[in-house]
Amino acid sequence: MEIRRHEITANGIRQRVLVAGPEDGRPVLLIHGNCSSADFWQPLIRHLPADLRLVAPDLRGYGGTEVAPVDATRGLGVFADDVAALLDEPSLFGAAGARPVLVGHSLGGGVAMRLLVDRPERVAGLLLAAPVSPYGFGGTRDLAGTPTTPDFAGTGGGTGNRDFVARLAAGDRDAEQPTSPRTVLRSAYVADPASLGADEELLLDSVLSTATGDDNYPGTMLPSDNWPGMAPGDRGVLNALTPKYFRIADELVAVPVKPPITWVRGDADVIVSDTSLFDLAQLGALGVLPGWPGVEACPPQPMIGQTRAVLDRYAAAGGSYREIVLAGCGHSPNIERPTEFAAALLDLL
């Protein structure tokens, strides 16, 4: 399927959008995750039928879209507004009032949830690929999303690895250093590095397109009296993902229009997991970070359990969902298992 690139000004910023398929095809809106871009959908697009209308924007600060600040106090609302502004673009979806299925990966899953809550009449269904918990990333202790500390210590911009951020900013393509973007791509984004195949350089380019700094990735931080000594600031991507600003569980359950949801995840995911290696509480429990106050005071976030508990509530309130677990798959089922992922999307359609 031919992939075309559009540049569209919407919601006040210039956005690069990948488009494939006929204008009158069944609409699918693909929303990528953190430290990536719309190019992360290319391995999947090759496995989809040509009669779909596929629209995949780069979020602000990623890929070819304008580098614009992220107001973290709105959670993922800034990203959702950017994407929503594309829904009425005739060059993308043809007829006005398009109701696409939203496919969101990781952070993009949270954006899809936000878009459903904000504009339920415009969403035909959700396919969530390894999505961020409806209670945000880090800093909560149980299935109800109870904050671990009042200031959400251990989440936000201060959790970004400084060496990784510096290597992102420098465009580092090293294959040896543990914090290089290539190593992180191979070890954290997927469970099997061989699954990257011939797409590795394309996907690395996508990771390296991430805009760095206080307004983008990772964002700002505040000092905290609670372990590990930092709390979320109000700018940047990692702060937008914190439970301080992104807590959408109750809104998702209460949405008046409840399209079907499919949740696809790998059982070898090390990013979104009940034992996430990107959750500082889990790193403390493993002895990687010193001073951890113990499991009673600071337990790892039960990310998978939280998502399942919220989707159970969604179903009990009149919606429906399906959970698909792929054995041996990591954080990017759209890359690692594109055939099975495509089948899940077609079933939802």
Side-chain angles (χ1 to χ4, degrees):
M1 190 186 305
E2 180 188 3
I3 299 174
R4 302 174 295 282
R5 288 167 171 78
H6 292 224
E7 282 201 356
I8 293 171
T9 298
N11 199 35
I13 65 168
R14 176 184 48 78
Q15 302 188 45
R16 187 190 78 152
V17 185
L18 304 186
V19 180
E23 285 189 7
D24 61 352
R26 290 175 292 171
V28 178
L29 180 57
L30 304 160
I31 309 172
H32 69 81
N34 195 13
C35 294
S36 62
S37 72
D39 285 324
F40 260 54
W41 296 113
Q42 289 208 39
L44 172 68
I45 290 173
R46 300 185 199 115
H47 289 80
L48 294 174
D51 64 344
L52 300 182
R53 179 63 165 182
L54 305 173
V55 176
D58 292 332
L59 300 176
R60 61 172 61 200
Y62 300 94
T65 287
E66 183 178 338
V67 177
V70 176
D71 177 1
T73 65
R74 297 194 56 225
L76 299 177
V78 170
F79 294 120
D81 286 352
D82 290 343
V83 174
L86 301 173
L87 291 175
D88 292 317
E89 286 291 331
S91 63
L92 298 180
F93 290 105
R99 293 180 64 243
V101 164
L102 307 184
V103 183
H105 175 223
S106 195
L107 172 149
V111 176
M113 295 179 211
R114 182 76 259 169
L115 191 52
L116 170 59
V117 168
D118 291 346
R119 294 169 174 81
E121 76 285 352
R122 300 301 302 272
V123 178
L126 259 62
L127 198 166
L128 304 175
V132 61
S133 163
Y135 294 108
F137 197 93
T140 57
R141 62 168 49 249
D142 55 26
L143 299 188
T146 305
T148 302
T149 62
D151 62 353
F152 301 94
T155 71
T159 67
N161 182 284
R162 293 182 181 180
D163 193 58
F164 174 70
V165 174
R167 290 175 182 276
L168 272 182
D172 178 27
R173 307 183 77 88
D174 183 80
E176 303 300 326
Q177 298 302 316
T179 56
S180 75
R182 188 187 298 275
T183 302
V184 173
L185 173 65
R186 289 174 174 176
S187 63
Y189 284 63
V190 295
D192 178 10
S195 66
L196 300 172
D199 290 314
E200 181 169 326
E201 298 308 314
L202 169 72
L203 297 172
L204 179 59
D205 287 341
S206 181
V207 175
L208 291 172
S209 74
T210 303
T212 58
D214 285 348
D215 283 326
N216 298 100
Y217 181 85
T220 57
M221 59 177 284
L222 295 174
S224 172
D225 292 333
N226 298 301
W227 183 89
M230 90 299 247
D234 60 4
R235 297 152 57 200
V237 177
L238 293 188
N239 294 309
L241 281 164
T242 68
K244 182 176 182 179
Y245 300 121
F246 182 74
R247 294 177 64 83
I248 203 167
D250 291 343
E251 293 175 276
L252 190 66
V253 171
V255 70
V257 179
K258 290 183 169 63
I261 296 176
T262 298
W263 172 26
V264 181
R265 64 181 183 87
D267 67 359
D269 191 342
V270 299
I271 297 179
V272 174
S273 165
D274 287 351
T275 54
S276 169
L277 296 182
F278 288 72
D279 179 359
L280 297 196
Q282 174 66 14
L283 295 180
L286 294 173
V288 176
L289 293 181
W292 180 60
V295 70
E296 291 299 321
C298 189
Q301 179 188 8
M303 302 179 188
I304 301 303
Q306 288 178 348
T307 297
R308 186 178 298 114
V310 172
L311 292 180
D312 283 344
R313 290 172 57 200
Y314 181 87
S320 64
Y321 84 96
R322 175 188 180 199
E323 179 181 357
I324 300 173
V325 183
L326 301 178
C329 180
H331 186 59
S332 306
N334 47 306
I335 293 170
E336 295 177 82
R337 302 286 183 81
T339 301
E340 292 161 272
F341 195 89
L345 174 56
L346 294 176
D347 284 346
L348 182 61
L349 285 168

